[in-house]
Structure formats: structure tokens, C-alpha cells
Amino acid sequence: AQKITQTQPGMFVQEKEAVTLDCTYDTSDPSYGLFWYKQPSSGEMIFLIYQGSYDQQNATEGRYSLNFQKARKSANLVISASQLGDSAMYFCAMREGEYGNKLVFGAGTILRVKS
Amino acid sequence: KAGVTQTPRYLIKTRGQQVTLSCSPISGHRSVSWYQQTPGQGLQFLFEYFSETQRNKGNFPGRFSGRQFSNSRSEMNVSTLELGDSALYLCASSSRTGPFSVLTFGAGSRLTVL
């Protein structure tokens, strides 16, 4: 069965510094997709970045990059130049297989950016 | 382009009642998925609809049901509410399914069961 593990319940980072949020996954399916979502206190889930299992390069979206290490089954999110507005809950999620939109989520990491 | 719209945003029910939540996907999106978020269990998949057909269902009791209409709008229903059903219910839509599709979530419906 597929599983997502986020081992950091909470993280602090100084404004303007970079931070890495950890995510490891487990699946036996050769085709899968990995996602990171941000959830501010308002509750809405905001899509940040996506990495496909067959992608050769690490995904990047503005200040977000995904450090994808397939052999280690890890998909860490790197946020560069942290901003106060980055304070939120961050979820790593995985879709297993070629079809469907069922995501399995990790427990999440609360990120607090300090000024 | 309007996002995913969920109604109502907040609601309070009592045990034994039923509730219906609505989700209007982004225009053109045909896939709608529902998730339950609680402090204890985290985010859990409820079900997914594509072109009015349920494609996948999570491990929830039969009290949880859903449907999708021809305009892709979706509803989920919870009957005989229990205290443990108190949660944030999130709906997500996508233009397609498969490895390259990205789910866009709504702001959620926060249900409190008393």
C-alpha cells in the first residue's frame, strides 16, 4: 500500500532563509506522481509543485523546488527566501498509478517563518 | 477563471441528522474528488467522480455517499451524523485524470456535529 511520511511535525525558519521540508514515500507502482500543497489557516489547499515518477529533472516553481531522489524514495520541498506569508501547514501527497485522482497525504509539517 | 466553489462553508448539525455538501468545479473540469480532514486522521480520500461515474471510493462507511451531475457539479451526503464526522470536507477538481493532472482544491466545508 502506498504511504507518505513527513517526519517533521513543525519547523521554524528565519525570514529570507531557505528551508527544506522532508517527505518520503512508499509504493510498488512504477508510475506515480508526487505533490506538495500548502494549507494556510483559512483551510484552502494551495497547489505548490508536482513531480512525476518518470521526470528526469527536479521540478521547480518560482521559490519552490522539489528535491526528488527516486532511489531513496524521497521528495523534499525546498522553499528559498522564506517570507512571512509562507507560514502554513505543508502537505506532501502521492498519486499512485496512471489513472484516477486519488491522493494519499502525509501528516503535514507546520512551518513558521520568523521575522 | 473561478476556482473550486464549496457550499456551505460552515455548518452545524446534531447527531442523527444528515447533511449535503456541494462542490462546483472549475469550468471544464470533469473530475471531482472529495477528502475529509480531521486532526486525528489527517486527510483521507472519500471518493472520486469523473463524468458522473464514481471511479474510486475510500474506506468510509456507507453513510457517506456522493454523486456528480452532468454539469460536473458534485454533492456529497452524510446520513445519520456522528460526532466523529466533524471535519473539514475538501473538494478538488481536475481537467483530467492520470499522471499529469493536478488537483485544485476548494476552501472546504467545515462541519461541526453536536
Side-chain angles (χ1 to χ4, degrees):
Chain A
Q2 52 185 318
K3 185 178 179 182
I4 294 285
T5 302
Q6 294 181 254
T7 58
Q8 305 154 313
M11 291 279 287
F12 282 96
V13 65
Q14 196 67 37
E15 194 178 9
K16 299 182 183 178
E17 292 186 349
V19 62
T20 298
L21 305 183
D22 295 341
C23 172
T24 58
Y25 60 92
D26 188 25
T27 179
S28 57
D29 199 311
S31 177
Y32 52 89
L34 296 160
F35 301 77
W36 277 92
Y37 283 89
K38 170 185 177 182
Q39 187 178 42
S41 56
S42 61
E44 184 173 1
M45 297 284 281
I46 301 168
F47 168 74
L48 297 177
I49 198 165
Y50 167 81
Q51 179 85 41
S53 59
Y54 296 119
D55 294 341
Q56 296 297 315
Q57 293 185 320
N58 288 343
T60 60
E61 291 283 351
R63 295 188 298 113
Y64 305 106
S65 61
L66 198 152
N67 184 1
F68 181 46
Q69 299 189 39
K70 197 170 183 177
R72 298 177 61 182
K73 292 190 175 180
S74 74
N76 298 338
L77 175 70
V78 180
I79 305 174
S80 63
S82 297
Q83 302 171 356
L84 295 178
D86 293 335
S87 294
M89 178 74 91
Y90 288 80
F91 290 97
C92 180
M94 177 171 67
R95 176 181 48 229
E96 194 173 66
E98 292 281 333
Y99 302 101
N101 279 329
K102 174 185 176 182
L103 298 185
V104 174
F105 284 85
T109 297
I110 299 175
L111 177 66
R112 290 287 178 255
V113 180
K114 300 182 292 184
S115 60
Chain B
K1 192 175 186 181
V4 178
T5 304
Q6 291 189 246
T7 57
R9 289 292 314 279
Y10 303 91
L11 66 167
I12 300 173
K13 294 284 187 179
T14 57
R15 281 181 299 173
Q17 287 186 313
Q18 73 160 9
V19 66
T20 298
L21 308 178
S22 178
C23 173
S24 293
I26 291 173
S27 178
H29 284 194
R30 296 166 63 191
S31 170
V32 174
S33 306
W34 288 89
Y35 293 82
Q36 181 198 62
Q37 185 177 23
T38 60
Q41 299 297 318
L43 279 151
Q44 295 184 284
F45 171 79
L46 280 158
F47 24 65
E48 175 196 358
Y49 289 88
F50 185 82
S51 294
E52 301 179 66
T53 301
Q54 187 180 86
R55 295 191 57 155
N56 216 335
K57 189 177 190 305
N59 188 25
F60 279 82
R63 300 185 296 107
F64 291 80
S65 63
R67 58 178 176 171
Q68 186 180 32
F69 302 96
S70 58
N71 61 357
S72 294
R73 189 178 71 85
S74 177
E75 288 181 349
M76 66 163 284
N77 183 275
V78 188
S79 63
T80 319
L81 285 166
E82 301 176 0
L83 295 179
D85 297 333
S86 294
L88 179 66
Y89 290 88
L90 290 161
C91 167
S93 76
S94 174
S95 59
R96 54 184 173 178
T97 66
F100 304 112
S101 64
V102 172
L103 278 67
T104 301
F105 283 82
S109 292
R110 189 170 295 278
L111 170 66
T112 300
V113 182
L114 302 176

